[in-house]
Structure formats: structure tokens, C-alpha cells
Amino acid sequence: MGKKGQLYVFTGPSGTGKGTILGQVLERDKNVFLSVSATTRAPRGEEQDGVHYYFLTHEAFKEKIKQGAFLEYAQYVGNYYGTLEAPVDQQLAQGRDVVLEIEVQGAMQIHNKRPDAVMVFVAPPSMDELERRLRGRGTESDEKVQGRLQTARQEMGFANRFDYIITNDRLENAVADLLAVLAAERCRNRDKIDK
Amino acid sequence: MGKKGQLYVFTGPSGTGKGTILGQVLERDKNVFLSVSATTRAPRGEEQDGVHYYFLTHEAFKEKIKQGAFLEYAQYVGNYYGTLEAPVDQQLAQGRDVVLEIEVQGAMQIHNKRPDAVMVFVAPPSMDELERRLRGRGTESDEKVQGRLQTARQEMGFANRFDYIITNDRLENAVADLLAVLAAERCRNRDKIDK
């Protein structure tokens, strides 16, 4: 048995670009693996069970909630989404680093459950810039943008619970920062004796 | 006033290549500065006071020890060497990251005095490899090499007191690791609220 892998939680308000950052990081650091989420929504197109999602029925999902099988879960537009703890722990036991890309509320659920997780928060350079980016998408009504901004403001209030805060000012810098966090954490002495 | 700089202590047994690693890191990361040591030995060649060392008389050095002005100090072959706290704090106040490259014993002195310091230990891949490297220098008697190995074994016992342990297996990897530690620590949330 080699060294156990490290669990990472990667989150941030909608529009901060966390998906884009993580996508580039996963291409460049082949020693970290993205966790597969579970969902009750139906598979789309080429989506495969166990690859893109674990597809569960509503009944199966609720049963697993009762069993405490989820690291975090949430409901969104009538469907459940969540992270099953068992497959994450299996990968960690195999020495693989695992990253969860989840919403801030989900991240806060893990915060208490898994003190071993390294918690990374992506922040926008400013709320003005976040608004500009959300409007720049051009796909959402003013009301929806306002709603997202309101949520983002609340979510920013949780940033101080995280181990690292990466400000996504320039994408290439944010990608370099996350790669640095992964590399540095591999050198971290988890058995440090303080006195 | 911007953000305060971060203090780093960089150490490891003799022969682990800490000086070489740090030299390459300082060339590539221009936001971190090497602390200037104080010494009682005489300047050599082009050495300038305040640049290569702070040159002090024995009396001045001892007076500063009495004042508690040193973060750490040691005697070596009849001379004193040490790190004055005031110039380090001045640089940190200016927002500069400062790194001290010092011996393990000196690092342990700082450990207790400055809990704000990020402590980095360089380890050899193995004691056998360290012995090979020390002999490979070809400049020292077997007795001296044995003495260095004995000291290195003792020093390795302190590795578990450090925040990061970088194994110098290949120089380029060790340099990349230290650069990653510096970059990651800049994203670290020092005001993290745990509950």
C-alpha cells in the first residue's frame, strides 16, 4: 500500500470560472481525478453511468441519503445531485488525489464531515467584474443575473472557511495557482508535530 | 499598506542540495527575498556589509544576543552566524516574502519564536544516497563524511516538525516543488475560520 490520496473540494460562486480552471488543471496534472457525481436526472446523449454520473432513481437516491452515503447533496430543478462517499474513499485508498467540483453550499456540508479535505475557493476579482461576466454570457434575464449575484454575495461570505482562496483575475494565473496548490500539498507534512 | 509578506525557513541536512535548490528558485520567483545573515567573520573578497552579510564584531554580536535581537544564531569554527529579526520584519512589513536558508538547529530555534513562519525541510531520497553525494564531493575525509552523516541522521529526526518536506530526488522536481509551495502559500487563507 502506498500513500493515501488527498481529497480536494473546489468551489466558488457561479460565474467565477471554476469549471474552466479545473478543466485546464486536470489536463495538466494527471495525478488528480475528478469525482463522479450521482444524480436522479436522466442520462443525456452519450452520458455513461459511472463515467459522467452515477444515475440513480429518486428512490435509490433517497435511500442513500437515509444511509448517510453522501458527502453532500442538493436538489436542483426537481432533481437530486450529490457526491457518494464510498467511490471517493476507494480512489483515495488507491493513492489517487480526488477533486470535487461542487457548489458552495455542498462544499460547506463537506467542511464539517471531512476535516481531511483541502478546501479551495475561487473568487471573482470583484463583484462588479462578476456582474460584468454574468451579463457577458448574454443568455440570462436581468432578474436571473440579479439572483445569481445575490447568491454569489452570500457565497462569498463563506470564503473565510476555506484553506485557499484563488482569485480568478486572469485564467492562466488561476490555473497556475491551483496547480501550485496541488503540487505544494503533495509536499505537505500531514503528520506535523507542533510542539 | 499592502499585504504583509510571508516568512519562510528553508533547511535540511548538509549535502541535500538546499543551497542549489534555493538559488534556482530565487532566480525564477522574483517576489521572494533571501535574508542577509549576520556574522563575526571578516569580509572576504568583494563581500559587502548589508549585502552578503551584516559584519559585526564579536562584542556587537554578543550584545545583540543579550538584547534578543536574533531569530537564531550559532557558533561555527570560532565565529558567530545568525539572523537578525529587525531587518526580516522590515521586509515583511513592506510586503516582501523573505526566506531564511539556515541549518536545522537554527530552524528549530525559529520554530518556537515565529509560529507565523512556513517551515520547509529538504530531505535526501535516502541516507545511502546522501552518503553517496557527500563522498562524491571528494573533498572530505571518511571521518568528516561519517560526522556529517551522523549529524544528518539527527537532523532528519526534526523533519516531522516542518510544514513541508521536499525530497531532493531530482533537482528540477525539488525546484518545482519549492516554487509551488511559494505560489500556493500566496493563495493560503491565513484568516481561516475553522468552525
Side-chain angles (χ1 to χ4, degrees):
Chain A
M1 273 295 298
K3 207 179 152 198
K4 209 171 155 282
Q6 175 60 46
L7 176 60
Y8 294 90
V9 173
F10 191 59
T11 191
S14 173
T16 48
K18 61 180 183 293
T20 311
I21 296 167
L22 190 56
Q24 294 204 12
V25 165
L26 291 170
E27 270 181 30
R28 289 166 62 179
D29 186 333
K30 294 299 185 188
N31 295 311
V32 62
F33 298 86
L34 187 62
S35 162
V36 176
S37 296
T39 183
T40 56
R41 79 152 169 77
R44 295 173 189 153
E46 309 271 291
E47 287 181 348
Q48 289 169 45
D49 185 53
V51 178
H52 302 89
Y53 283 95
Y54 296 107
F55 294 103
L56 300 180
T57 63
H58 275 263
E59 292 64 39
F61 204 108
K62 282 184 197 163
E63 185 54 36
K64 284 191 181 290
I65 292 174
K66 270 194 212 153
Q67 293 165 358
F70 285 102
L71 278 174
E72 55 84 34
Y73 69 93
Q75 261 187 304
Y76 182 70
V77 207
N79 276 304
Y80 282 106
Y81 294 82
T83 306
L84 289 163
E85 193 159 18
V88 168
D89 278 331
Q90 271 169 30
Q91 294 215 62
L92 295 175
Q94 288 163 13
R96 291 178 159 197
D97 291 345
V98 177
V99 60
L100 314 186
E101 186 206 335
I102 53 179
E103 300 307 311
V104 176
Q105 296 296 335
M108 294 315 296
Q109 293 176 45
I110 295 178
H111 201 285
N112 302 314
K113 241 178 242 174
R114 296 290 295 237
D116 59 320
V118 170
M119 310 285 292
V120 184
F121 190 94
V122 185
S126 67
M127 290 308 290
D128 283 354
E129 174 60 21
L130 183 64
E131 183 167 358
R132 211 185 55 76
R133 289 183 192 175
L134 288 172
R135 292 200 188 285
R137 292 177 173 182
T139 53
E140 285 174 347
S141 66
D142 184 66
E143 197 184 357
K144 251 201 168 153
V145 169
Q146 289 302 334
R148 283 192 192 274
L149 283 171
Q150 178 59 19
T151 305
R153 267 181 223 107
Q154 287 169 4
E155 290 174 338
M156 289 296 290
F158 291 109
N160 58 6
R161 308 288 191 94
F162 286 75
D163 296 304
Y164 295 97
I165 302 172
I166 292 175
T167 303
N168 188 8
D169 196 345
R170 292 175 57 190
L171 177 63
E172 68 214 70
N173 293 347
V175 169
D177 283 344
L178 183 54
L179 286 167
V181 167
L182 296 171
E185 286 291 332
R186 288 181 188 127
C187 301
R188 181 169 285 280
N189 177 15
R190 299 199 188 281
D191 307 314
K192 189 188 173 189
I193 297 166
D194 262 317
K195 271 287 157 198
Chain B
M1 273 295 297
K3 207 180 152 197
K4 209 171 154 283
Q6 176 60 47
L7 176 61
Y8 293 90
V9 172
F10 191 60
T11 193
S14 172
T16 49
K18 60 180 184 292
T20 311
I21 296 166
L22 190 57
Q24 295 203 11
V25 165
L26 291 169
E27 268 180 31
R28 288 166 62 179
D29 186 334
K30 294 300 187 187
N31 295 310
V32 62
F33 298 86
L34 186 63
S35 162
V36 176
S37 296
T39 184
T40 55
R41 80 152 169 75
R44 295 172 191 154
E46 310 270 291
E47 286 181 348
Q48 289 169 44
D49 185 54
V51 178
H52 302 89
Y53 282 96
Y54 296 108
F55 293 104
L56 299 181
T57 63
H58 273 262
E59 291 66 37
F61 204 107
K62 283 184 197 162
E63 184 56 34
K64 284 189 182 291
I65 292 173
K66 271 193 212 156
Q67 293 165 2
F70 285 101
L71 278 173
E72 55 85 35
Y73 69 92
Q75 260 186 306
Y76 182 70
V77 206
N79 277 303
Y80 281 106
Y81 293 82
T83 306
L84 289 163
E85 191 158 22
V88 168
D89 278 332
Q90 271 170 30
Q91 294 214 63
L92 294 175
Q94 287 162 16
R96 291 178 160 198
D97 290 345
V98 177
V99 60
L100 314 186
E101 186 208 336
I102 53 180
E103 301 306 312
V104 177
Q105 294 297 336
M108 294 314 296
Q109 293 176 45
I110 294 177
H111 201 284
N112 302 314
K113 243 179 239 174
R114 297 290 294 239
D116 60 320
V118 170
M119 309 287 291
V120 184
F121 189 95
V122 184
S126 67
M127 290 308 291
D128 283 353
E129 174 59 22
L130 184 65
E131 182 167 357
R132 212 185 55 77
R133 288 183 194 175
L134 288 172
R135 293 200 189 283
R137 291 177 174 181
T139 52
E140 286 174 347
S141 65
D142 184 68
E143 196 184 0
K144 252 204 167 146
V145 168
Q146 288 303 334
R148 282 192 192 274
L149 283 170
Q150 178 60 20
T151 305
R153 267 181 223 106
Q154 287 169 3
E155 290 174 338
M156 289 297 288
F158 291 109
N160 59 3
R161 308 286 193 94
F162 287 75
D163 297 303
Y164 295 97
I165 301 172
I166 292 175
T167 303
N168 189 9
D169 197 345
R170 291 175 56 190
L171 177 64
E172 68 214 70
N173 293 348
V175 169
D177 284 344
L178 183 55
L179 286 167
V181 167
L182 296 171
E185 285 291 333
R186 287 180 189 126
C187 300
R188 181 169 284 281
N189 176 15
R190 299 200 187 283
D191 306 314
K192 189 186 173 190
I193 297 165
D194 263 314
K195 272 287 158 198

